[in-house]
Amino acid sequence: MTQTTDAAAVRQPPKPTRGRVHRAWFVAAVTFVTIIGAAAFRSVPGLLIDPLHDEFDWSRGTIGAAVSVNLALYGLTAPFAAALMDRFGIRRVVAVALTVIAAGSWLTVWMTAAWQLMLCWGLLVGLGSGSMALAFAATVTNRWFTERRGLVSGILTAASASGQLIFLPLLSWIIDRYDWRPAAVTVALAALAVVPFVWLLLHDHPADVGQKPYGATAFVPKPPPVPGAARRAVTVLLSAVRTGPFWLLAGTFAICGASTNGLIQTHFIPAAHDAHMPVQAAASLLAVIGVFDVVGTIASGWFTDRFEPRRLLAVYYALRGVSLVFLPLLLGPTVHPPMIFFIVFYGLDWVATVPPTLALCREQYGEDSAIVFGWVLASHQIGAAAVAFLGGVARDTFGTYDVMWYASGALCAAAALMALVIRRRADGAVAVG
């Protein structure tokens, strides 16, 4: 017997005991908690616009530009982070990312100029959060699961909304009672608190603990580290851009980001405040979106395992567009039943688009799907960044956000049509028809 055969035999694990919970579910649970801790930073931008405007007299466009840098870097970092996880391991990349998020949030306490907001919240938090983006969830799902991938990706996507649910009411209460600075410190501490869990409990690959991926029929050896992370990310992009599905998925996901992170997450609270709604009430509504986002995203993962992803995307975008068109009629000083209906309806649709988009990336791009999804996510965040900035400019120019609601509704209608253009061939490949 050769040395290679002996080594393979050593790596082959014993069959797991029947009835035991697979280690993949524990890794998914740690990933869920990690994303929740990192989600604290995503709860802050909409809460900071009015306090920073009042204290420093910065225009909303200027503050929106810093949020825009954050969102753009969040997306542009994601594909490189996925490649770095292949090179250095999930645990190292995520631990460093959380530390960078904590540093960027903490340093904002001492800022006195707008460029410092760009540097701390835009650059540092943007880079750190990009490494904690949905490409992280995609990498964990691809490595640890061969079955239930749609469900797991839905659960991990919902983790961000769960973090929003936890932190939004808390941070709005801190800002209202004390100041925005304690809220920034809270974000930093939340990110740091997760680092020990990541370092101790987040295993990079099933082979590290002698197990098969969940649902796999054979043991999968851990692949060697992949050198040239940046080069690989760019190479995968250059290959993907020559295919039609990439542009359709990137276009629809850009509209997804524009109508969620860029518009609602950044500007809903200031828009509600313009309508004389108390900030804490508006923040609570945004947190409730997070509650139903969890339900909607997990359900979307379940649907993705059973139905055609492109049709799911078309339905999700169409319903979102309709809801945004009606939002200007619902904003007011009090929370009334139609507004609650909007919050529930919109929450169910918030990131329900992620599981079917990820499924289409996986179907088309195979082992490179996590990196391709990272680039698709980059388009999501570029769309979000554009609307985060344009929303502030629109408010400064027109004194209202109404034009942004209507424009986003129209964009969602376009995204629904784009999703339907993606065709699936009989052999399982995706093509543009």
Side-chain angles (χ1 to χ4, degrees):
M1 182 178 293
T2 65
Q3 184 177 359
T4 302
T5 305
D6 290 340
V10 171
R11 289 196 303 267
Q12 182 70 31
K15 292 182 179 180
T17 303
R18 186 179 299 275
R20 290 182 58 186
V21 177
H22 196 284
R23 183 67 67 90
W25 294 108
F26 292 103
V27 172
V30 173
T31 304
F32 187 89
V33 172
T34 302
I35 296 174
I36 285 178
F41 76 92
R42 299 187 65 186
S43 303
V44 173
L47 296 171
L48 292 184
I49 290 178
D50 286 335
L52 293 179
H53 173 73
D54 294 338
E55 178 172 337
F56 297 107
D57 199 28
W58 297 337
S59 72
R60 290 176 176 84
T62 297
I63 301 168
V67 177
S68 177
V69 171
N70 176 295
L71 293 171
L73 286 176
Y74 177 95
L76 293 172
T77 304
F80 295 97
L84 286 172
M85 288 177 189
D86 288 340
R87 176 66 178 89
F88 298 106
I90 299 173
R91 178 165 52 187
R92 292 179 181 177
V93 173
V94 172
V96 171
L98 287 167
T99 304
V100 171
I101 289 171
S105 183
W106 193 287
L107 289 173
T108 58
V109 172
W110 292 281
M111 69 181 178
T112 56
W115 68 266
Q116 294 165 345
L117 178 65
M118 299 276 189
L119 175 64
C120 296
W121 204 263
L123 179 63
L124 292 179
V125 177
L127 288 174
S129 61
S131 301
M132 290 291 302
L134 293 174
F136 169 41
T139 301
V140 170
T141 303
N142 289 349
R143 289 188 183 185
W144 281 89
F145 293 85
T146 59
E147 293 182 356
R148 303 290 188 270
R149 281 177 168 175
L151 176 63
V152 174
S153 62
I155 292 173
L156 296 182
T157 301
S160 182
S162 300
Q164 177 176 295
L165 165 65
I166 293 169
F167 287 106
L168 257 177
L170 172 64
L171 295 175
S172 65
W173 178 82
I174 291 173
I175 292 173
D176 183 64
R177 186 174 179 85
Y178 299 103
D179 188 21
W180 63 267
R181 290 177 177 84
V185 172
T186 302
V187 171
L189 294 177
L192 285 177
V194 182
V195 173
F197 294 95
V198 170
W199 195 254
L200 296 174
L201 301 175
L202 188 61
H203 297 286
D204 288 330
H205 194 276
D208 290 340
V209 291
Q211 289 196 348
K212 299 178 292 186
Y214 179 82
T217 57
F219 179 70
V220 179
K222 183 177 181 179
V226 181
R231 182 174 63 253
R232 184 181 176 213
V234 174
T235 300
V236 170
L237 172 64
L238 293 177
S239 175
V241 296
R242 292 195 291 268
T243 65
F246 175 83
W247 291 106
L248 292 169
L249 291 170
T252 56
F253 225 39
I255 294 172
C256 179
S259 57
T260 54
N261 301 87
L263 184 65
I264 294 293
Q265 190 162 21
T266 304
H267 295 293
F268 177 80
I269 292 175
H273 187 57
D274 285 347
H276 309 292
M277 182 183 294
V279 171
Q280 282 188 274
S284 297
L285 288 176
L286 202 55
V288 172
I289 286 179
V291 177
F292 289 94
D293 178 23
V294 174
V295 177
T297 307
I298 294 175
S300 178
W302 188 87
F303 290 143
T304 301
D305 287 332
R306 290 161 176 80
F307 300 104
E308 172 57 46
R310 70 183 183 91
R311 292 192 177 95
L312 291 176
L313 286 179
V315 171
Y316 296 157
Y317 285 121
L319 293 176
R320 183 184 301 176
V322 171
S323 66
L324 286 172
V325 169
F326 283 98
L327 181 57
L329 304 176
L330 304 178
L331 289 170
T334 60
V335 179
H336 45 80
M339 173 57 79
I340 295 175
F341 178 80
F342 168 83
I343 293 298
V344 172
F345 186 86
Y346 191 86
L348 291 171
D349 199 319
W350 178 270
V351 285
T353 56
V354 172
T357 301
L358 181 54
L360 288 171
C361 286
R362 188 183 299 118
E363 180 183 274
Q364 175 70 7
Y365 302 105
E367 293 182 356
D368 291 331
S369 61
I371 296 176
V372 173
F373 182 71
W375 285 112
V376 172
L377 178 63
S379 71
H380 180 282
Q381 295 307 114
I382 290 172
V387 172
F389 172 68
L390 292 174
V393 173
R395 174 60 176 80
D396 290 334
T397 303
F398 303 109
T400 178
Y401 286 101
D402 286 0
V403 65
M404 298 304 299
W405 309 128
Y406 298 134
S408 294
L411 285 174
C412 287
L417 295 175
M418 291 169 65
L420 290 175
V421 174
I422 304 174
R423 300 296 180 185
R424 187 175 183 180
R425 292 176 179 165
D427 61 3
V430 175
V432 178

